[in-house]
Structures are given as structure tokens and as C-alpha cells.
Amino acid sequence: MVVAPAQPVHQALRHWAQAQPLPQRWGIALSGGADSTALLHAAQALWPGRVHALHINHGLQAAAADFERHCQQLCSALQVPLSVLSVDAQAQAGQSPEDAARRARYRALATAAQAAGLREVWLAQHQDDQLETLLLALSRGAGVPGLAAMPPLFERHGQRFARPLLSLGGEAIRDWLRGEALAYCEDPTNADTSYTRNRIRHQVTPALRQAFPAIADMASRTAQHMAQAQQLLQELAALDLTATGSPPQIAHLQALSPERQANALRHWLKQSHAVVPSTAQLDALLQQVAACTTRGHDIHLKLGPGFVRREQAALRYDANL
């Protein structure tokens, strides 16, 4: 009896499709690396004619032309339409190269998907990427939102994104590609340990896996728990802001516990002004709210690109003041 080879990527996508309604057509962010190459192969095999590949050329390394050429050849062989976009991913002052490239990539993917009429864009990030993201969050002292790591579904720049491979490990993906003799590109920057994520990948996670073989599964479970906790915190913040008003009335804020004040203020700043305060900034704001017991008490704190200040009985956020 001949046993059919395991199709882990196909299985992961079938499971995803059972849990999430599929759009009529959707995009796949195709870098040319192992993970996105596997995702495109499997999605086209399962749902032929419904996927559209999107390749971003960052222009940051000599291998960029080889990646683009691979994507063109792959999509031609699979008869998948391909959009190639070039972006300026140069980092600004105080910005990391990884963050600059990520922001440019999401903007370009959203623009290209909307132009092509694609309801959703699939990203090939997997369980090992989730573990690395969680470890990065821990290394930065992140709170609940950071420990929730990468959500399976999210929206950015008005475009819906999905990560259907978060339940699957990277080694299973590469084993499948090798078993099927499917070609992909190796990104030479993945070996550069000057990048924090690469140091985690090459130095930290191997030791963790040796000590705790199921660490990737446990990290995924932790991220799911944190995502649930974050949802509850957001719902509580929305309720508290209904009571305090938006912008929040200082006296109503003072009636809340310090923890609920912090949660409500963090939610208000992010939802209304796209500002995420640091721990030190939020602590300083809480101290000022607590001290604001007289009519003449002034509040004027630098936070993000602008300032939080007192305006009569309420807080106000003004950018670029």
C-alpha cells in the first residue's frame, strides 16, 4: 500500500477555510521565500483561479532582482496573476530598517490589493514567526497587546489581512517543499544576526526548543490567551470611556481605579489619535490626573508627536503643538 505524502500546508489551509469564509478572490504576499512560495502553491492547488500574487521589491539588497524573477517565473508556471510593486523602504531617523520595510510593505500591499479588487491579503507567517514575535515583545517589556503577538486576522490601511499558517511550523513547510521538489529563494539577510529577530531565530529559539520541545505550541497558546485578554480590556475601556466621555472628563477619570484609568486613557489615545504612549508617559499622565484637584492645575505633557493638555474639565490631545 502506497501512503500519500503529508500535505501540511494544504491541511492548514483547509482548516483555515473551515473556520473563516473565503472571499471570492484574495491576494497572497509573495516574497519568493520558502513560506510564501508554499502558501501560493497550496492555495492555487486548492482554489485555482481565485488567488492573485503580490510581490514587493524593497530594493534594499542585491538579491531583490532574483526574488522578483523567481516570483515571475513561479506565477507564470502556476498561471497566477502577479502584481510587482517597488517601494522606498529607507529608514527615517530613529526608525529601524525592519520597521521601515514593514510599514512600506503593508502600505504597498494594501494599495495593490485595493486596486486589484482583492478583499483580503494572505501573509505566510507561521508558528515559528509567532514564537519570535512573542520573544521580541518580552525583550521589550511589552504589555498585553504586545504579548498577543500576531493576530490571525487584522486590518491595516483599510485592507483586511490574514495569516492562515500560524498553526504550522516552519520546518514542516520546508520539509514539504523539499519533498515536492519546489524551488524557493533563500534571503541572505536571514543569517545576519545584527537584526534582533535573526538573533532570536539563530541563538535563542534553538536553546528554548532543546529545553522545551513544545515551546512554539505553548507560545501560540499564550498569544491566543493574551489576545482574548486584550479584547476584554478594550471592551472595558470602551465602557469606561462611555462614562468619562471622549475626550475624557478628568473628574470621571478620577472615579476609576488607576488601572482602569490607564486602560481607558491608552484606549482613547490609540483609537482617537493613533498614539501609543510609553509606560513612562502614561505613568506621568496618571500622576497629573491624580493631582488635578484644583481649577488652576495645568496639564501639558509631551506624548507621541503632540501633547496631552487640560482644557477646562477634560483632557485634550493636540498633535504637533
Side-chain angles (χ1 to χ4, degrees):
M1 177 180 177
V2 177
V3 178
Q7 301 283 334
V9 184
H10 295 70
Q11 292 169 3
L13 294 188
R14 288 192 188 97
H15 180 74
W16 174 266
Q18 290 172 356
Q20 305 289 339
L22 295 180
Q24 185 59 37
R25 292 177 64 244
W26 64 94
I28 290 180
L30 180 67
S31 70
D35 308 323
S36 64
T37 296
L39 179 59
L40 183 66
H41 271 286
Q44 175 67 356
L46 290 171
W47 303 288
R50 295 177 63 181
V51 298
H52 183 123
L54 306 169
H55 176 71
I56 307 298
N57 187 331
H58 296 89
L60 295 176
Q61 54 175 302
D66 294 333
F67 275 82
E68 183 176 325
R69 190 177 307 110
H70 166 79
C71 292
Q72 291 171 336
Q73 293 171 350
L74 173 60
C75 290
S76 177
L78 293 178
Q79 297 183 335
V80 171
L82 169 67
S83 297
V84 177
L85 306 102
S86 297
V87 300
D88 179 6
Q90 295 295 326
Q92 302 299 314
Q95 186 181 37
S96 72
E98 303 100 309
D99 184 53
R102 181 172 57 252
R103 289 176 182 272
R105 182 165 59 250
Y106 276 120
R107 282 194 300 269
L109 287 172
T111 300
Q114 290 157 10
L118 306 173
R119 296 282 304 278
E120 198 167 273
V121 176
W122 285 10
L123 307 174
Q125 289 148 332
H126 49 71
Q127 191 178 68
D128 296 347
D129 298 316
Q130 187 75 304
L131 171 59
E132 292 167 9
T133 300
L134 183 60
L135 291 172
L136 271 171
L138 285 170
S139 74
R140 295 167 179 163
V144 173
L147 297 179
M150 297 186 297
L153 288 166
F154 64 103
E155 187 171 306
R156 192 166 297 181
H157 305 297
Q159 178 64 44
R160 180 181 169 98
F161 289 86
R163 297 182 173 105
L165 297 183
L166 285 182
S167 64
L168 191 62
E171 194 57 36
I173 293 173
R174 289 174 180 263
D175 284 346
W176 176 71
L177 285 168
R178 287 189 288 264
E180 297 292 318
L182 299 176
Y184 57 89
C185 296
E186 289 283 5
D187 187 343
T189 65
N190 285 340
D192 185 353
T193 54
S194 66
Y195 296 108
T196 305
R197 184 177 285 272
N198 286 348
R199 288 199 300 277
I200 290 174
R201 181 175 302 161
H202 295 295
Q203 299 171 7
V204 179
T205 57
L208 283 173
R209 289 181 188 278
Q210 185 174 7
F212 308 102
I215 187 65
D217 289 332
M218 297 303 101
S220 293
R221 187 179 302 175
T222 294
Q224 291 169 7
H225 291 327
M226 292 298 102
Q228 292 172 353
Q230 178 61 16
Q231 181 62 36
L232 291 174
L233 288 173
Q234 289 175 342
E235 292 176 7
L236 178 61
L239 288 173
D240 284 341
L241 287 174
T242 299
T244 67
S246 184
Q249 298 290 306
I250 295 171
H252 291 167
L253 274 174
Q254 291 171 335
L256 301 174
S257 69
E259 292 78 14
R260 287 176 68 168
Q261 288 181 40
N263 187 49
L265 288 170
R266 190 182 292 112
H267 187 78
W268 167 61
L269 289 164
K270 183 175 182 180
Q271 296 300 315
S272 298
H273 304 287
V275 170
V276 179
S278 69
T279 299
Q281 290 172 333
L282 191 58
D283 286 345
L285 181 55
L286 290 173
Q287 291 172 11
Q288 288 298 310
V289 168
C292 193
T293 57
T294 62
R295 185 173 298 178
H297 186 93
D298 187 33
I299 295 177
H300 193 262
L301 291 175
K302 176 68 175 173
L303 206 156
F307 290 85
V308 173
R309 62 185 179 86
R310 178 180 180 177
E311 187 175 83
Q312 297 181 353
L315 294 179
R316 180 184 178 91
Y317 184 82
D318 290 314
N320 301 318
L321 285 182

